[in-house]
């Protein structure tokens, strides 16, 4: 059997650099409107649909799934991307008068900062997309740690995120 591809191994210093870059990007990314971030995610959603076959073929090469399973994984992960595009409506927040004395409770959705996504080997597209699109549209920045066993799928996904407009 021959290698499918080659990637560099990251060091602790590389992780520190990634976290620093994510911290640096946070003010401008979180400063965008949720609608603007959702528009970028909508572009990503379209790119995933356009490149679904390519992504599925990477999953087959790296992980050994059959093509039908890999295509289903990409489609399932992209459903959460689509859900994340609805966050402008879901993140509006609420106000509730809780007593006749003028006490009001306010519900807000604010970005937290840098979040991490550790990708498993068995579903390298679907599982990280249960959180990454929501974290990004909510205004957080993400440090991605792909599985060392199946890194090529997420490497390509990162290229698609960048093409959609997510900063490096």
């Amino acid at each position: 059997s021959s290698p499918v591809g080659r990637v560099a191994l990251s060091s602790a210093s590389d992780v520190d650099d990634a976290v620093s870059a994510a911290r640096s990007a946070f003010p401008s990314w979180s400063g965008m409107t949720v609608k603007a971030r959702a528009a970028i995610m909508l572009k990503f959603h379209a790119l995933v649909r356009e490149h679904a076959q390519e992504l599925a073929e990477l999953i087959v090469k790296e992980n050994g799934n059959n093509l039908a399973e890999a295509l289903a994984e990409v489609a399932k992960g992209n459903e959460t991307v689509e859900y994340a595009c609805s966050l402008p409506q879901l993140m509006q927040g609420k106000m509730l008068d809780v007593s006749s004395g003028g006490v009001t409770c306010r519900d807000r959705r604010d970005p937290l900062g840098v979040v991490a996504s550790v990708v498993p080997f068995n579903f390298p597209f679907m599982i990280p997309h249960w959180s990454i699109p929501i974290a990004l549209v909510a205004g957080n920045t993400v440090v991605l740690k792909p599985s060392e066993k199946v890194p090529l799928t997420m490497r390509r996904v990162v290229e698609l995120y960048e093409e959609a407009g997510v900063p490096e």
Side-chain angles (χ1 to χ4, degrees), residues 93-113:
K94 301 172 190 165
M95 294 202 50
L96 177 67
D97 292 325
V98 292
S99 76
S100 59
V103 176
T104 303
C105 288
R106 183 174 179 187
D107 174 357
R108 289 177 33 160
R109 308 276 195 224
D110 294 324
L112 298 172

Side-chain angles (χ1 to χ4, degrees), residues 83-141:
Y83 169 80
C85 294
S86 70
L87 287 177
Q89 289 73 37
L90 299 173
M91 290 181 55
Q92 291 182 28
K94 301 172 190 165
M95 294 202 50
L96 177 67
D97 292 325
V98 292
S99 76
S100 59
V103 176
T104 303
C105 288
R106 183 174 179 187
D107 174 357
R108 289 177 33 160
R109 308 276 195 224
D110 294 324
L112 298 172
V114 178
V115 298
S117 178
V118 180
V119 180
F121 76 93
N122 53 342
F123 292 101
F125 184 87
M126 183 177 65
I127 292 178
H129 283 93
W130 291 347
S131 60
I132 293 172
I134 295 166
L136 287 172
V137 175
N140 300 290
T141 54

Side-chain angles (χ1 to χ4, degrees), residues 14-28:
D14 293 328
V15 174
D16 291 343
D17 291 347
V19 171
S20 292
R23 280 193 183 123
S24 295
F26 178 72
S28 62

Side-chain angles (χ1 to χ4, degrees), residues 147-162:
S147 168
E148 69 281 3
K149 296 178 181 178
V150 291
L152 299 176
T153 300
M154 288 311 290
R155 182 168 70 183
R156 181 65 178 122
V157 166
V158 167
E159 293 169 356
L160 296 175
Y161 271 117
E162 290 172 355

